[in-house]
Amino acid sequence: MGGQEVVAHRGASAERAEHTLGAYQVALDQGADALECDVRVTRDGHLVCVHDRRVDRTSTGRGVVSELTLGAMSRLDFAQWHHELPDSADDLVFEPRASPVGGASQRRILTFDELLGLVRAQSRPVRLFAETKHPVRYGGLVEAKLTAALARHGISAPAHKDDSPVVMMSFSAAAVRRFRANAPGVPTVLLFDRASRAVRAGELPRWADLAGPSVRLLRRDPGLARRLAARGRDTYCWTVDDAADVELCRRAGVRFVATNRPGATRARLAGSPG
């Protein structure tokens, strides 16, 4: 598979409900090199793994994450199949057909601390890519809470960025800058679907270690990852499920391939049928 690593996007979210313990355990069982999660702050200050501003799509409840307590969210079932509409109608054939399985621990809200604990308990190196969501009610509090969580686990100041078990990401440039100021030793990714002239030339801001283009952008500009690599910057590409896109990432030299199907993507990168 070379230098490319498979990142399980919200876990093995094509096979289990996203951001649940079950989805992440399946991803680990399939050999994912890293896990990806979205991070938000509850009303009572806890970091939870939820993509949307509201819990309506992914749970049996309703409401805004920032207006709900962790206790209230813990009473909801998050092992539901409420997927976003795909980019193409053709992708509807990939809608999951399996029923959500698992006990209560695999169906409830997952906290960032729990997911980080799962990562650190592995017998092999596994990284966690944590995306802070914006805009949000509490502004920069999510980055402050993330920094504090890493400090509690003793990993907010790694000796070298390559050794960091956590990578911070955001579409918000201000969020990435804030986090870098608080935890300069933890690597960061600036996510984007459109590239500035500087980024197209292979240049990133000093506070971003990796570029995070969408696979749609990479389709339009397949040389982007190579130009970034020539300047010493690796690429994290999202979200890569189609076989042609996996091959595109392989040819383009993408370092981290974020996918909802870690098992199939890993097999394709390794050169075997997925």
Side-chain angles (χ1 to χ4, degrees):
M1 197 165 61
Q4 289 165 317
E5 300 184 31
V6 173
V7 183
H9 182 251
R10 310 180 198 173
S13 53
E15 300 181 43
R16 295 289 188 274
E18 66 185 56
H19 284 131
T20 58
L21 188 61
Y24 288 111
Q25 190 59 64
V26 169
L28 292 169
D29 292 344
Q30 292 180 352
D33 301 293
L35 307 178
E36 183 269 356
C37 70
D38 300 296
V39 182
R40 292 183 178 273
V41 181
T42 66
R43 179 180 177 182
D44 49 347
H46 294 276
L47 288 179
V48 291
C49 302
V50 179
H51 175 271
D52 300 357
R53 176 175 172 268
R54 301 181 61 90
V55 300
D56 305 34
R57 178 180 65 88
T58 54
S59 83
T60 52
R62 298 182 61 83
V64 178
V65 174
S66 62
E67 296 177 356
L68 296 170
T69 64
L70 179 60
M73 295 177 74
S74 296
R75 293 190 287 273
L76 305 177
D77 184 350
F78 278 81
Q80 301 296 305
W81 295 108
H82 298 297
H83 279 233
E84 302 159 347
L85 288 176
D87 295 333
S88 165
D90 294 338
D91 292 339
L92 288 170
V93 300
F94 294 119
E95 281 295 296
R97 293 175 172 82
S99 298
V101 296
S105 66
Q106 295 196 356
R107 304 177 69 89
R108 61 176 173 76
I109 186 70
L110 184 64
T111 68
F112 178 76
D113 277 329
E114 289 170 326
L115 181 55
L116 183 55
L118 176 67
V119 167
R120 302 199 73 201
Q122 300 307 301
S123 59
R124 60 183 174 90
V126 177
R127 274 188 164 184
L128 178 58
F129 285 75
E131 179 188 341
T132 62
K133 306 302 291 185
H134 291 276
V136 291
R137 173 191 303 268
Y138 300 129
L141 180 61
V142 62
E143 285 79 41
K145 289 284 187 180
L146 179 58
T147 304
L150 300 187
R152 285 198 307 274
H153 288 267
I155 55 175
S156 61
H160 193 279
K161 289 184 179 181
D162 288 343
D163 300 325
S164 177
V166 174
V167 180
M168 180 270 181
M169 309 190 297
S170 186
F171 283 93
S172 167
V176 179
R177 289 198 303 269
R178 276 195 301 266
F179 183 83
R180 169 53 55 83
N182 292 329
V186 176
T188 57
V189 183
L190 179 62
L191 298 168
F192 52 88
D193 195 24
R194 296 180 180 179
S196 66
R197 180 179 299 177
V199 171
R200 290 197 300 271
E203 299 177 4
L204 285 180
R206 291 191 303 271
W207 36 264
D209 298 299
L210 291 86
S214 68
V215 71
R216 286 179 294 187
L217 179 56
L218 197 66
R219 290 178 199 141
R220 297 194 298 267
D221 185 4
L224 176 61
R226 296 292 185 191
R227 294 194 297 275
L228 287 159
R231 293 177 177 263
R233 302 301 186 101
D234 284 326
T235 300
Y236 169 102
C237 187
W238 53 276
T239 302
V240 185
D241 292 332
D242 183 78
D245 288 334
V246 175
E247 180 59 26
L248 170 64
C249 287
R250 188 217 301 268
R251 294 195 311 268
V254 170
R255 171 75 184 282
F256 299 102
V257 181
T259 176
N260 297 312
R261 300 175 172 84
T265 298
R266 185 175 180 81
R268 286 166 180 157
L269 287 172
S272 61

